[in-house]
Amino acid sequence: MEEPDPLRSVLKILKDCKHVTFLTGAGISKESGIPTFRDKDGYWSKYDPMKLASPQGFLENPALVWEWYRHRLKIISSARPNQAHEAIKEMEKYFNITVITQNIDNLHIEAGSTCVLELHGNIFRSRCTQCDSKFDTSLLKEKIPRCPKCGGIIRPDVVWFGEMLNEDLLKRCYEVLTITDAIFVIGTSNQVYPAAGFPLLVKQHGGKIIEINLNNTPLSPIADVFLQGKATLWMKAILEKLKEWKNSMSLS
Ligand code: OAD
Ligand code: ZN
């Protein structure tokens, strides 16, 4: 029997969709030159996440954590959105789109996506651990930056292991997920919760799951379509098919 064409399966799903959600992880920004975490060459193959991305690690050695975030800020500052980020933005022409991202690199916003929910914060923003004042990370030059208002230590405004996600933000995510007709899960290893549970929630509410990843993940067995390969290639192909379909509709 002939293998079904996965692109056709995606189009078939999208034809009935109004609300489309994208859940993205580090893999979508890999082709913009930003390292991932759990791949062979990812951060967690070299560094201990508890030392660099946990409140305990920050308490023990804030200078080390800051050194790592400055290093990442440098890489991220010179990165540009790639064709996958751009395709997601373009799909706003056809659907109500929400982007839920675990990335802190700002690239969905730079690509112009209108509704971006940043689950794990944003590296360009920092905050005082005492008075919660917010700062532009790129302007903080001290090894361990201090708050000019209260003297408290400033930290990157990101979510670390063991920390709670912002409640209002989570509420907005759940509201969107329950009305999502299809969720694209792109470039995430689906190992970090609560994000890893989001696609299941969509499925429970009758929506479809389309996964794009270089490799299988724990989500793959329950995905309605699994597209193996680079995020840019698949997103470009999907957008092209979508345009063809919409053009043929406007002609008929
Ligand atoms: P991971 O590094 O765990 O997973 C990246 C995924 O992207 C892997 O499944 C890769 O196979 C896939 N991938 C790599 N390049 C790709 C490409 N060009 N196209 C498509 N897929 C590709 O990253 P996340 O799942 O985002 O949190 O990690 C989740 C959270 O864990 C992060 O937000 C971060 C991390 O620790 C904190 O630091 C708190
Ligand atoms: Zn302060």
Side-chain angles (χ1 to χ4, degrees):
M1 209 171 74
E2 219 177 295
E3 281 281 303
D5 171 3
L7 266 185
R8 277 187 64 174
S9 310
V10 173
L11 252 280
K12 215 170 143 197
I13 291 173
L14 289 178
K15 281 177 182 173
D16 295 324
C17 285
K18 199 168 158 205
H19 294 276
V20 176
T21 299
F22 287 84
L23 174 63
T24 65
I28 197 172
S29 297
K30 181 76 200 278
E31 293 165 77
S32 292
I34 301 173
T36 61
F37 297 95
R38 292 174 187 79
D39 290 312
K40 257 194 245 130
D41 54 351
Y43 284 124
W44 300 154
S45 68
K46 288 177 275 189
Y47 307 125
D48 177 355
M50 288 307 139
K51 290 208 167 109
L52 297 178
S54 80
Q56 297 90 316
F58 188 66
L59 263 180
E60 275 164 29
N61 196 343
L64 177 75
V65 173
W66 265 112
E67 197 184 318
W68 186 57
Y69 274 92
R70 285 216 175 82
H71 166 73
R72 290 182 66 196
L73 183 68
K74 213 166 144 193
I75 297 173
I76 288 173
S77 299
S78 58
R80 291 286 154 263
N82 62 46
Q83 286 173 316
H85 300 101
E86 282 159 7
I88 294 173
K89 157 68 193 158
E90 259 203 87
M91 278 171 70
E92 287 185 10
K93 283 186 195 149
Y94 310 120
F95 308 102
N96 289 335
I97 302 258
T98 306
V99 180
I100 302 177
T101 188
Q102 298 167 88
N103 300 341
I104 59 172
D105 57 27
N106 210 45
L107 290 183
H108 286 294
I109 294 172
E110 274 182 48
S113 281
T114 335
C115 181
V116 182
L117 304 177
E118 296 176 304
L119 273 187
H120 294 167
N122 187 311
I123 196 168
F124 292 96
R125 199 174 56 235
S126 290
R127 66 177 159 88
C128 173
T129 51
Q130 264 175 209
C131 74
D132 206 40
S133 294
K134 303 287 191 283
F135 302 91
D136 176 343
T137 311
S138 51
L139 300 178
L140 303 171
K141 300 295 177 203
E142 295 162 274
K143 263 191 171 168
I144 304 172
R146 292 265 176 187
C147 174
K149 294 174 196 156
C150 78
I153 292 185
I154 299 174
R155 58 166 279 180
D157 197 5
V158 297
V159 179
W160 284 328
F161 288 107
E163 292 186 316
M164 301 292 284
L165 271 66
N166 179 292
E167 241 176 74
D168 289 338
L169 187 72
L170 265 182
K171 211 172 138 231
R172 284 183 68 194
C173 288
Y174 289 126
E175 280 165 9
V176 167
L177 292 164
T178 52
I179 57 159
T180 291
D181 301 308
I183 184 166
F184 282 82
V185 185
I186 307 182
T188 172
S189 59
N190 291 296
Q191 291 185 40
V192 176
Y193 283 82
F198 289 175
L200 279 100
L201 197 71
V202 170
K203 191 141 184 140
Q204 280 161 5
H205 283 83
K208 303 284 189 200
I209 301 173
I210 300 158
E211 184 180 30
I212 303 179
N213 201 302
L214 292 181
N215 304 301
N216 277 290
T217 74
L219 180 73
S220 312
I222 68 147
D224 294 278
V225 186
F226 176 66
L227 304 173
Q228 183 160 26
K230 289 186 174 180
T232 49
L233 295 181
W234 281 117
M235 284 309 299
K236 239 173 55 184
I238 291 167
L239 186 65
E240 264 167 38
K241 285 271 169 220
L242 205 55
K243 280 182 182 164
E244 277 171 25
W245 171 59
K246 289 286 173 181
N247 284 342
S248 68
M249 292 241 304
S250 61
L251 292 176
S252 60

